[in-house]
Amino acid sequence: MEPNSNFTENQLLLSSAQLQEQLDQQKALASVIVRIRESLDLETIFQTTVTQVRQLLQADRVAVLQFELGKDWEGEFISEDVAPGWDSVMAVKVYNYCFGEQFASSYQEGQVEAVADIYKAGLSDCHLAILSKFQVQANLVVPLTRKKELWGLLCIHQCSEARNWKESEIEFISQIADHLAVAIQQAKHLHEVQLQAAKLAQAVQRDQVIAKIVDEIRSPIDIETIFKTTTQEIRKLLQADRVAIFSFNPDWSGNFVAESFTQGWTALVGFEPTMSTTGYAYADTYLQQTQGGRYVNNETFTVNDIYQAGLTDCHITLLEQFQAKAFATAPILQGNQLWGIIAAYQNSSPREWQSYEVESLSKIGTQIGVALRHHKLLAHAQYQAEQQKTLTSVITRIRESLDLDTIFQTTVTEARQMLQADRVAVFRFDPQKDWEGEFISEDFVPECNSVMAEKVYDYCFGENFAHLYSQGRVNAIADIHQGKYPGCYVQILAKFQVRANMVAPLLKKGELWGLLCIHQCTAPRYWQPSEIEFASQIAEQLGVALKQDSYLKQVQMQVVQLAEATEREKAMERQELLAATIDKIRQSLDIKTIFRTTTQAVRELLEVERIAIYRFNPDWSGKFVADSFKDGWKPVVQVQPMIIETFEDTDDDNELPRNETFVPIREGEKLWGLLVAYQNSQPRYWKEEEINLLAQVGVQLGIAIQQAELLEQTKRQTLELTQTLQELKQTQTRLIQGEKMAGLGQLLAGVAHEINNPISFIFGNLIHLDEYTQELLKVVKLYRENSSLLPTVQEKIDKTDLEFLIEDLPKTLESMKVGTERICEIVLSLRNFSRTDEAELKPVDIHEGLDSTLLILGHRFKNNNERPAIEIVKEYADLHLLECYPAQLNQVFMNLLSNSIDALEEKFKTIQQRYLKLSQICPIIPLTIWISTQAVNNQIVIRIADNGLGIPEEVRSHIFDPFFTTKAPGKGTGLGLSISYQIIVEKHHGQIKCSSKPGEGTEFLIEIPSGN
């Protein structure tokens, strides 16, 4: 019984384990079902399922694979749970080309694939390769279906080893797959519901946007703003690349008037496409043939792909220029008339237009048509109101103004703006000629020519039109080339660029005085009855103005005649005062006195508040130079200069009240300035007699200014002659000094030449004399060695002190050699200094010139009874040859060094006398001259400095002036530094500067361009 009891116990244990396993599976299944019911998120359901299944089955990986529609069973893993140590397969694309042939049909029937060992199951190579890629050893796959279609797979992988899948496990996984299929179906239904809700929300939003657009269209704003707002809102609503409004012309061509488009596309408003072979680019032959086609019947037109819709080639070409690939259009009807279309364009790609989108576009097109109708009615009402306003304005101007020119100009300006015509003009007949006349007032657009002052004579006018215009008839012509009009009439109108014409007569006391002409130059124009009536009313009011002008002139003539007698008496008085004023002007030659006398006398004469004289500058700006004013007003002489605007002296200007009047002041033929009379407190009618009197004073002022200028010119010439004479004297003295220096140079050159010949002879023979002396001394030495044989010779040697002679004779010869070399150096220095053969520019070494000058002045540097020696410190830089005038440059060195020596001698003398007065021993006084050269920025810089007493500033500023000297009479001419300045600045284009500190010394700096 013991074995049987053990078997029974094992069976109980096995049953218990199976029950526990089934219990766990049921718990897991229940948990998945709960999660499916709790959550509608498919991703969360999948992740929970794979996690619990892998833990329950103790598998290495559990994953969900989803197939992609239309890709031949290609798919990817969208959810997984994997044990540590194994690769993730998330988002890995899987494609098994043999799947459709081997597994698709069985999976669609709900079969489960359980593989214990992939290497022993006889799988195909492609299937085996895919499983090996994912490290799979054992595989359990259950299909996931949705409405009997294979949606995906639930995969359980054992990667570490082979595994025999239990029936309970397979059954468990199948149940899990069934519930996941339910979840997938629920997710699809949820997605469809969400899409429907989104569409409903979009429809609500679309209706709200359309309602907003309709409200804006119906609001009282201008039509351009309506177009702009509508295109922007519709483009946003439809999410199109462009929405545009297109307006038709009468011939069914047209143009874009408004648009809204996304960034990156070309604007169509103002766009001019390439002309087609059929003519105008925007002309649609279909619309021309059908007179509007489908749009007239309020039908829409949609194209999802312009290349697939069967459009004509020319239509496709035009749409390509619009960058469109798909479009939807709806008509815009203004009442019963087709006005245009509203179009939505998709430029980036083809697009399938939805019915609700086209319906929205059609609704907006209808509302735009209503807005256009309202806009047209409103514009017509405003136009009529503007006509009445303009007519009222013209009548008001006629009543307010008595000036006929102002009335005419105001009328033509306002009438042209009101009628939007190209030209409105007033034509006046010459009563002395047969219907000949000219235009006296006009207003026109820039594109038309002016007709002002044009003489016009129409020989057929009297026969065809005169009697009609005299009856008050208005002539309106829509196109001068379309009617049967006389050739002479058409020719005259064509001369003035007229295409359409409306003429209203201007009657004065029942007679034809002129014409009010309204011209349209750019195109024909059909004149509306309201426009003809408006022109007739304007002409009638101008006739009233003509009558008023006639009455006014009669009254004015009577007033003028009455005033003339009084003015004659005043004119006589003014002439007497004018004669007295002119006499005052001629009594003085001082211009300021003339101005003061004239302004005061003229102010009293004309009884004005201010008289001023204004002078022009060369650039026509100017300033007031004199004025006389009544008490209480400020002077204008100190006012900033101003520019006087261009003025014309016309009779018409004098008829108007002004605050000032002015006349020109001419100096000969030149406009010098203005004589201005001011009435500051109020405007004043300036009479012709007053202006004439002012003009006569202006003429006399011009003569006085000319005389004063001649006097001033004479004074300037006298001063210039005096200065020229002084300059001639200076030049003469410089020439004399130059001749002296030239003569001195010739003398030095001659002396140097005369000394050079004998010195050269002596210097050359000294060499031979030295050689001969050495030979003689050798002979004497030989004699001395043999003097015992010749007693007489020995006796003579003793008497002559031969030892001294032998020792001193070579020294004597050497001294003679040194002396001749010194004489040669002096001769060479004299020749270098004079340089009589080098009067032109020549490259030289300036150090030679400096050294030659120092050698010539060497005797002055030595100490003497009056002072110690002067030390010369030279700091020469390595310079290139300088192209200059050598002799003149040496003269500058001589002058500067001589002045330095004089300054040092003066310093020693001054200090020595100071100590003598104090009865003290005078200390050693250093006397030094520094000479340095250097090259700086393409210039040769020479500095000559001394440590003398220096030069005071008041003297230093004049040292280069001719004849200026501080030396005692007879010791200096005052020309040395002046000539030096001329040589450096004028001859060598350089600079010479002097800097000095009193008590410390003076430095002269010379800069000469090295590229002279």
Side-chain angles (χ1 to χ4, degrees):
M1 290 298 293
E2 187 175 354
N4 290 333
S5 63
N6 289 337
F7 175 75
T8 303
E9 185 178 353
N10 290 334
Q11 282 184 329
L12 289 173
L13 291 173
L14 181 59
S15 298
S16 177
Q18 290 175 346
L19 288 173
Q20 184 62 42
E21 182 180 356
Q22 290 177 358
L23 181 60
D24 292 340
Q25 289 178 354
Q26 290 302 316
K27 287 182 179 180
L29 181 60
S31 176
V32 170
I33 294 171
V34 170
R35 286 301 179 96
I36 290 173
R37 291 177 177 176
E38 287 179 349
S39 175
L40 294 176
D41 180 41
L42 203 58
E43 183 178 351
T44 304
I45 294 171
F46 284 156
Q47 191 59 48
T48 302
T49 302
V50 296
T51 301
Q52 292 191 1
V53 168
R54 192 188 70 77
Q55 292 175 356
L56 182 63
L57 297 182
Q58 294 296 305
D60 293 328
R61 181 188 298 117
V62 175
V64 176
L65 175 73
Q66 180 183 3
F67 293 115
E68 297 183 13
L69 294 177
K71 292 194 176 181
D72 193 20
W73 304 113
E74 180 180 346
E76 66 177 335
F77 289 100
I78 61 172
S79 184
E80 74 165 349
D81 188 65
V82 61
W86 304 107
D87 297 337
S88 172
V89 296
M90 278 296 289
V92 174
K93 295 288 185 181
V94 179
Y95 176 63
N96 185 354
Y97 59 86
C98 58
F99 180 86
E101 179 182 349
Q102 298 179 2
F103 304 103
S105 59
S106 59
Y107 282 145
Q108 284 179 338
E109 294 174 358
Q111 295 184 13
V112 178
E113 182 188 24
V115 179
D117 190 339
I118 64 172
Y119 300 106
K120 297 179 180 180
L123 302 178
S124 62
D125 294 338
C126 59
H127 194 184
L128 190 62
I130 291 174
L131 294 174
S132 300
K133 175 183 177 183
F134 297 142
Q135 306 167 301
V136 177
Q137 287 280 350
N139 188 28
L140 176 61
V141 178
V142 181
L144 300 176
T145 60
R146 185 179 65 186
K147 290 186 179 180
K148 297 183 180 180
E149 292 183 359
L150 185 59
W151 181 88
L153 302 173
L154 177 60
C155 304
I156 296 90
H157 296 160
Q158 197 69 31
C159 302
S160 57
E161 59 184 355
R163 175 171 177 173
N164 291 317
W165 303 99
K166 301 176 183 178
E167 288 296 331
S168 60
E169 293 174 335
I170 297 173
E171 178 63 24
F172 169 70
I173 293 300
S174 297
Q175 291 177 357
I176 290 294
D178 291 340
H179 289 287
L180 287 179
V182 173
I184 292 170
Q185 186 64 33
Q186 288 178 349
K188 180 181 180 182
H189 290 322
L190 176 63
H191 180 66
E192 291 174 350
V193 171
Q194 289 175 341
L195 286 177
Q196 290 177 353
K199 288 181 179 179
L200 289 174
Q202 288 178 352
V204 173
Q205 181 184 6
R206 185 168 62 253
D207 291 340
Q208 291 175 347
V209 172
I210 292 174
K212 177 183 177 184
I213 295 173
V214 170
D215 289 340
E216 291 180 350
I217 288 175
R218 292 178 178 176
S219 61
I221 56 178
D222 61 282
I223 199 68
E224 288 79 9
T225 305
I226 291 174
F227 287 164
K228 181 180 178 182
T229 303
T230 302
T231 53
Q232 288 177 349
E233 295 296 335
I234 287 296
R235 184 183 62 77
K236 294 177 182 177
L237 177 65
L238 300 182
Q239 294 184 351
D241 293 332
R242 185 196 312 274
V243 170
I245 296 175
F246 187 86
S247 174
F248 288 120
N249 296 325
D251 62 352
W252 299 107
S253 64
N255 57 287
F256 289 98
V257 296
E259 66 177 331
S260 174
F261 54 91
T262 57
Q263 189 174 4
W265 304 109
T266 305
L268 298 183
V269 175
F271 173 70
E272 295 183 2
T274 306
M275 296 297 290
S276 66
T277 57
T278 59
Y280 183 43
Y282 284 170
D284 190 329
T285 55
Y286 169 77
L287 293 177
Q288 291 173 343
Q289 293 169 2
T290 61
Q291 294 296 297
R294 61 175 66 85
Y295 297 129
V296 173
N297 299 323
N298 200 17
E299 296 178 6
T300 59
F301 184 34
T302 59
V303 171
N304 296 333
D305 189 338
I306 65 172
Y307 301 107
Q308 304 296 327
L311 303 178
T312 60
D313 292 340
C314 61
H315 198 175
I316 292 174
T317 301
L318 189 61
L319 289 169
E320 286 177 343
Q321 294 185 56
F322 295 164
Q323 302 172 303
K325 290 185 171 59
F327 66 88
T329 56
I332 300 174
L333 296 173
Q334 187 179 27
N336 296 324
Q337 183 181 0
L338 180 61
W339 181 89
I341 60 173
I342 180 169
Y345 294 98
Q346 196 68 26
N347 299 343
S348 56
S349 63
R351 172 172 176 171
E352 183 176 352
W353 299 97
Q354 303 300 319
S355 59
Y356 65 84
E357 295 175 330
V358 179
E359 182 183 354
S360 299
L361 203 63
S362 179
K363 289 181 180 178
I364 294 301
T366 301
Q367 293 302 323
I368 291 176
V370 173
L372 287 169
R373 178 66 175 167
H374 291 168
H375 177 74
K376 182 178 179 181
L377 294 174
L378 179 61
H380 183 69
Q382 289 176 342
Y383 181 74
Q384 290 180 335
E386 286 296 327
Q387 280 187 344
Q388 292 302 316
K389 182 180 178 182
T390 302
L391 183 61
T392 303
S393 175
V394 171
I395 295 172
T396 303
R397 289 296 181 92
I398 291 173
R399 292 176 178 175
E400 289 178 350
S401 176
L402 296 176
D403 179 50
L404 204 57
D405 291 335
T406 304
I407 294 171
F408 284 156
Q409 191 58 50
T410 302
T411 302
V412 297
T413 301
E414 294 189 2
R416 191 194 67 76
Q417 294 175 353
M418 180 64 240
L419 296 174
Q420 292 297 301
D422 293 333
R423 182 192 297 121
V424 174
V426 174
F427 182 83
R428 179 178 61 187
F429 291 111
D430 189 342
Q432 305 299 326
K433 297 183 180 180
D434 185 19
W435 302 116
E436 180 179 344
E438 64 179 344
F439 290 97
I440 60 172
S441 186
E442 70 172 345
D443 187 66
F444 57 95
V445 295
E447 292 78 12
C448 294
N449 297 330
S450 173
V451 296
M452 279 294 289
E454 284 281 350
K455 297 289 184 181
V456 180
Y457 175 63
D458 183 357
Y459 59 86
C460 58
F461 180 84
E463 178 182 351
N464 296 319
F465 302 103
H467 65 286
L468 297 175
Y469 286 138
S470 297
Q471 297 173 8
R473 298 276 294 274
V474 177
N475 186 20
I477 300 174
D479 190 342
I480 65 172
H481 301 299
Q482 299 298 324
K484 295 180 180 180
Y485 305 107
C488 56
Y489 185 60
V490 174
Q491 184 178 2
I492 290 174
L493 292 177
K495 174 184 176 183
F496 298 137
Q497 305 168 290
V498 177
R499 188 68 185 273
N501 186 32
M502 181 164 61
V503 180
L506 299 178
L507 301 176
K508 178 180 178 182
K509 295 182 179 180
E511 296 182 357
L512 185 59
W513 180 88
L515 302 172
L516 176 63
C517 304
I518 296 98
H519 295 159
Q520 198 70 26
C521 302
T522 54
R525 174 168 177 173
Y526 294 95
W527 304 100
Q528 302 299 319
S530 60
E531 296 173 334
I532 297 173
E533 177 64 22
F534 172 73
S536 177
Q537 292 176 352
I538 291 291
E540 183 179 348
Q541 294 301 323
L542 289 179
V544 174
L546 289 171
K547 290 180 184 179
Q548 290 180 352
D549 180 69
S550 177
Y551 294 144
L552 177 63
K553 286 183 177 178
Q554 291 178 3
V555 174
Q556 288 176 343
M557 187 177 297
Q558 294 174 355
V559 172
V560 169
Q561 290 174 352
L562 291 173
E564 283 180 352
T566 306
E567 287 300 322
R568 291 192 196 98
E569 295 178 2
K570 291 185 178 180
M572 294 297 296
E573 295 177 2
R574 291 194 185 106
Q575 289 298 325
E576 293 176 0
L577 294 173
L578 176 63
T581 302
I582 294 173
D583 184 58
K584 290 180 181 179
I585 291 174
R586 293 178 177 176
Q587 288 177 359
S588 176
L589 288 176
D590 178 58
I591 198 68
K592 292 184 178 180
T593 303
I594 292 172
F595 286 166
R596 184 174 62 256
T597 303
T598 303
T599 54
Q600 183 176 355
V602 173
R603 183 178 63 79
E604 295 172 355
L605 181 63
L606 294 180
E607 298 178 355
V608 294
E609 293 169 351
R610 185 191 304 276
I611 292 290
I613 297 175
Y614 184 85
R615 181 173 185 175
F616 288 118
N617 295 325
D619 61 353
W620 297 110
S621 63
K623 63 180 179 179
F624 289 98
V625 296
D627 70 338
S628 174
F629 51 91
K630 192 176 179 181
D631 294 340
W633 301 103
K634 296 181 180 180
V636 295
V637 175
Q638 304 299 328
V639 176
Q640 292 295 325
M642 66 178 184
I643 296 178
I644 299 295
E645 298 291 341
T646 303
F647 64 89
E648 297 179 358
D649 187 11
T650 64
D651 293 338
D652 292 341
D653 289 341
N654 295 333
E655 295 176 0
L656 299 176
R658 300 182 308 189
N659 289 93
E660 83 288 331
T661 187
F662 46 83
V663 296
I665 302 174
R666 298 186 179 276
E667 184 184 1
E669 298 297 326
K670 175 186 174 183
L671 180 60
W672 183 90
L674 301 174
L675 178 61
V676 190
Y678 291 97
Q679 192 72 22
N680 297 334
S681 58
Q682 62 184 1
R684 170 172 175 169
Y685 287 93
W686 300 97
K687 300 173 184 175
E688 185 177 356
E689 293 79 5
E690 295 173 333
I691 297 175
N692 289 337
L693 186 146
L694 203 63
Q696 293 180 40
V697 174
V699 171
Q700 294 301 322
L701 275 177
I703 296 172
I705 291 169
Q706 193 170 11
Q707 291 176 347
E709 285 291 333
L710 289 174
L711 178 62
E712 186 66 24
Q713 185 178 358
T714 302
K715 291 180 179 179
R716 287 198 302 269
Q717 290 176 350
T718 302
L719 180 61
E720 290 174 358
L721 288 173
T722 303
Q723 292 176 348
T724 303
L725 180 61
Q726 186 68 19
E727 291 175 359
L728 286 174
K729 290 181 179 179
Q730 295 176 4
T731 303
Q732 183 180 16
T733 306
R734 287 176 180 171
L735 289 173
I736 293 171
Q737 183 70 13
E739 289 296 327
K740 288 181 179 180
M741 293 303 297
L744 177 61
Q746 293 287 347
L747 177 63
L748 290 175
V751 171
H753 178 72
E754 292 301 327
I755 295 174
N756 188 53
N757 288 335
I759 288 300
S760 298
F761 173 76
I762 295 172
F763 186 75
N765 287 331
L766 279 175
I767 299 172
H768 302 295
L769 181 61
D770 184 54
E771 293 177 355
Y772 299 157
T773 301
Q774 295 298 328
E775 291 296 328
L776 287 174
L777 289 176
K778 290 178 182 179
V779 172
V780 170
K781 182 179 179 181
L782 183 61
Y783 271 104
R784 291 183 65 185
E785 291 175 353
N786 298 294
S787 60
S788 57
L789 300 177
L790 298 170
T792 307
V793 174
Q794 180 63 40
E795 183 180 357
K796 187 65 175 175
I797 289 172
D798 295 337
K799 289 181 179 181
T800 57
D801 196 5
L802 186 60
E803 288 295 336
F804 173 75
L805 292 177
I806 292 172
E807 181 181 355
D808 190 55
L809 184 58
K811 294 180 180 180
T812 302
L813 290 174
E814 184 63 28
S815 298
M816 293 174 66
K817 183 177 180 182
V818 170
T820 54
E821 288 177 350
R822 175 63 176 165
I823 294 173
C824 287
E825 289 177 358
I826 293 173
V827 170
L828 180 60
S829 296
L830 290 174
R831 292 181 63 186
N832 287 339
F833 181 80
S834 63
R835 292 188 182 269
T836 56
D837 57 340
E838 297 176 3
E840 300 298 329
L841 282 170
K842 182 178 180 181
V844 298
D845 184 357
I846 62 169
H847 294 155
E848 291 184 0
L850 286 168
D851 291 339
S852 299
T853 306
L854 291 172
L855 187 61
I856 292 172
L857 294 173
H859 66 284
R860 295 195 63 186
F861 298 137
K862 298 176 181 179
N863 60 344
N864 52 39
N865 295 331
E866 296 181 356
R867 59 162 175 78
I870 297 174
E871 181 185 3
I872 303 298
V873 179
K874 296 189 292 184
E875 297 179 1
Y876 291 169
D878 187 10
L879 303 178
H880 296 292
L881 297 182
L882 175 65
E883 190 170 310
C884 62
Y885 297 97
Q888 296 183 13
L889 205 57
N890 290 342
Q891 184 179 350
V892 174
F893 298 154
M894 176 69 77
N895 290 334
L896 296 180
L897 289 170
S898 297
N899 286 341
S900 293
I901 294 171
D902 292 343
L904 292 173
E905 289 178 345
E906 181 68 22
K907 173 185 178 180
F908 183 83
K909 183 177 179 182
T910 300
I911 295 176
Q912 190 179 44
Q913 288 178 353
R914 186 186 307 159
Y915 279 94
L916 286 175
K917 289 180 179 180
L918 297 174
S919 300
Q920 297 179 0
I921 299 174
C922 182
I924 297 175
I925 302 172
L927 305 177
T928 309
I929 295 176
W930 292 270
I931 304 173
S932 67
T933 61
Q934 61 181 136
V936 179
N937 296 331
N938 296 325
Q939 288 190 331
I940 301 300
V941 180
I942 306 164
R943 287 184 170 85
I944 299 177
D946 61 66
N947 61 346
L949 293 176
I951 303 174
E953 178 58 29
E954 61 272 13
V955 174
R956 189 193 65 79
S957 59
H958 296 285
I959 59 174
F960 295 115
D961 295 345
F963 307 109
F964 181 82
T965 181
T966 57
K967 297 179 180 178
K971 288 190 177 183
T973 63
L975 289 172
L977 290 178
S978 175
I979 293 173
S980 299
Y981 183 87
Q982 183 182 17
I983 291 172
I984 297 300
V985 176
E986 297 180 11
K987 289 288 187 179
H988 292 85
H989 307 292
Q991 295 185 35
I992 180 170
K993 302 175 184 177
C994 175
S995 59
S996 179
K997 292 184 179 180
E1000 296 184 13
T1002 303
E1003 179 185 77
F1004 284 90
L1005 182 143
I1006 300 172
E1007 295 179 347
I1008 301 175
S1010 58
N1012 257 331

